Amino acid sequence: MDSGEFQLAPGARRIVVAMSGGVDSSVVAALAARQPGAEVIGVTLQLYDHGEATRRAGSCCAGRDIRDARAVCDRLGIAHYVFDHESSFRANVVDAFADEYLAGRTPIPCVQCNMGPKFTDLLALARDLGADCLATGHYVRRVEGPAGAELHRAADPARDQSYFLFATTQEQLDFIRFPLGALPKPRVRELAAELALVVADKPDSQDICFVPDGDYASLVKKLRPEAATGGDIVDLTGRKLGEHRGLVHYTVGQRRGLEIGGTPEPLYVVRLEADARRVVVGPRAALAVAAARLERLNMLGPLDGPLTAKVRSMAKPVPARMTGDRLVFDTPEYGVAPGQAAVLYAGDRVLGGGWIAATESVEAMGEDASLAASASA
């Protein structure tokens, strides 16, 4: 059986494992339990428990998943505790998700969850339990560098979750461990099967775990009814081309669903103007971004050298440089949306990142103009 890397200091022995009820965190608990002399405690945060979300395959941190986490702990012979953090999750993740759409931005709830309930709250609980480290099932690597712990991409690029963990602070990184970062997902499932864990064949959780049927627009409109208010679809000159059913149905770079015909070339969503409730569309060339202003920058390494930047979870990192709070791309980047994150890398190492507050179009930069109207305040 593969051995987990928990990087414990001499004499340290208490490991708290964040358990969502899925196969990844369950295998982490198993690896921790195999550490010589380790005392392992499984902890699950109950984040929500409403309707179909508690029964849907692919959810996490709800009723069925809590039962699975407890069954795994019983199988491993370790303690298991459940803490109710539903109100914190609602305020810091779900409500924030809805508010971001109202403001014309494209949110990333998984990052917000890691920043709040999963890392901040759970880390505090682990310390209260006297833990020497907190271990999670995320696919990233923690590497001891010359200046301390560093965050690196997972060995398996198909499973890498570093984009969603860019906001991990240095203090958190010093305490958190990621034992699966060097393993491919098929090997993790093999380990679960070898240990006869009930979750060995359980489907992976979905990105937006709190949306029961994947219809996030309906959830936003339920939480914020004003999200259903329609408005105009206009071109770059302000000329009305059609009407929309609410900004929640649109994101920067979107092409389908505009329901605008008779145009000489395909149109894309270029920006969302929340105050005017307008969807601004244009040709693909209008999506070209030369730079982005970042806010709430989190630094895990030096940003004064060559780096690459990833501006969407599924995008490839591209060459860029930081100038103050501005991220300047070496070549035009497309689909850069306020509300998303820009994660910065030096090779496989995560240097940190920030939230995209505004973008600067290639045309505006060429004219030495101010930040484009895609800024969302």
Side-chain angles (χ1 to χ4, degrees):
M1 177 176 178
D2 300 21
S3 61
E5 179 54 77
F6 290 85
Q7 302 171 323
L8 292 175
R13 59 189 301 270
R14 180 168 291 182
I15 303 171
V16 167
V17 179
M19 301 190 68
S20 66
V23 63
D24 296 325
S25 59
S26 296
V27 169
V28 169
L31 294 175
R34 291 294 182 96
Q35 299 299 301
E39 178 188 357
V40 183
I41 301 173
V43 171
T44 301
L45 297 183
Q46 180 175 318
L47 300 181
Y48 60 92
D49 195 4
H50 51 82
E52 288 297 319
T54 65
R55 298 186 294 273
R56 180 175 66 93
S59 65
C60 73
C61 306
R64 167 185 168 183
D65 309 289
I66 293 172
R67 292 193 295 272
D68 287 343
R70 177 165 292 130
V72 168
C73 288
D74 288 344
R75 174 75 176 84
L76 298 174
I78 64 175
H80 179 245
Y81 300 106
V82 179
F83 295 89
D84 184 356
H85 277 239
E86 187 173 351
S87 60
S88 173
F89 184 75
R90 172 67 180 260
N92 295 315
V93 180
V94 181
D95 286 346
F97 176 79
D99 290 339
E100 284 287 275
Y101 270 109
L102 280 184
R105 294 188 287 265
T106 305
I108 317 175
C110 292
V111 177
Q112 295 289 354
C113 185
N114 289 329
M115 290 175 61
K118 284 191 176 176
F119 277 11
T120 303
D121 297 350
L122 195 51
L123 188 144
L125 283 171
R127 290 193 185 278
D128 288 343
L129 291 170
D132 295 299
C133 74
L134 170 68
T136 82
H138 291 99
Y139 285 85
V140 290
R141 290 180 295 135
R142 178 185 182 276
V143 177
E144 287 290 351
E150 300 174 356
L151 186 64
H152 287 240
R153 289 190 185 123
D156 182 353
R159 300 299 305 181
D160 176 57
Q161 294 175 300
S162 61
Y163 180 83
F164 300 102
L165 298 180
F166 82 91
T168 305
T169 66
Q170 188 63 54
E171 180 183 6
Q172 292 170 341
L173 189 57
D174 289 339
F175 191 70
I176 300 175
R177 305 293 188 268
F178 307 105
L180 302 187
L183 297 177
K185 184 57 177 272
R187 178 55 184 152
V188 172
R189 288 204 178 274
E190 287 176 3
L191 290 171
E194 290 170 9
L195 290 163
L197 302 181
V198 296
V199 296
D201 296 320
K202 188 174 182 178
D204 291 336
S205 61
Q206 304 299 312
D207 283 347
I208 305 179
C209 62
F210 54 86
V211 181
D213 55 4
D215 186 359
Y216 66 86
S218 293
L219 174 66
V220 172
K221 288 186 285 188
K222 179 179 179 181
L223 296 173
R224 304 288 188 269
E226 59 269 37
T229 303
D232 294 338
I233 299 177
V234 303
D235 64 15
L236 295 173
T237 68
R239 181 171 62 96
K240 182 176 177 179
L241 301 178
E243 297 181 350
H244 65 80
R245 298 175 290 116
L247 296 181
V248 68
H249 295 285
Y250 303 90
T251 58
V252 171
Q254 179 177 333
R255 177 181 172 185
R256 296 185 179 183
L258 294 177
E259 299 178 356
I260 299 174
T263 58
E265 59 183 321
L267 296 178
Y268 300 79
V269 175
V270 176
R271 63 179 179 266
L272 303 174
E273 298 179 348
D275 291 342
R277 297 190 181 278
R278 298 202 307 180
V279 175
V280 181
V281 299
R284 186 175 185 276
L287 290 172
V289 168
R293 179 170 62 82
L294 306 186
E295 60 184 6
R296 291 175 285 163
L297 193 66
N298 179 56
M299 293 180 60
L300 291 173
L303 304 181
D304 54 354
L307 55 82
T308 58
K310 187 173 183 177
V311 296
R312 297 178 307 282
S313 62
M314 301 302 292
K316 293 182 178 180
V318 297
R321 65 186 185 275
M322 287 294 299
T323 304
D325 64 351
R326 292 174 69 245
L327 174 66
V328 182
F329 302 104
D330 285 9
T331 58
E333 183 70 1
Y334 292 81
V336 186
Q340 293 278 286
V343 182
L344 311 175
Y345 298 87
D348 282 339
R349 183 184 177 186
V350 181
L351 299 177
W355 299 94
I356 299 170
T359 60
E360 190 173 350
S361 70
V362 168
E363 179 180 343
M365 192 170 187
E367 298 173 354
D368 195 26
S370 60
L371 287 178
S374 55
S376 295

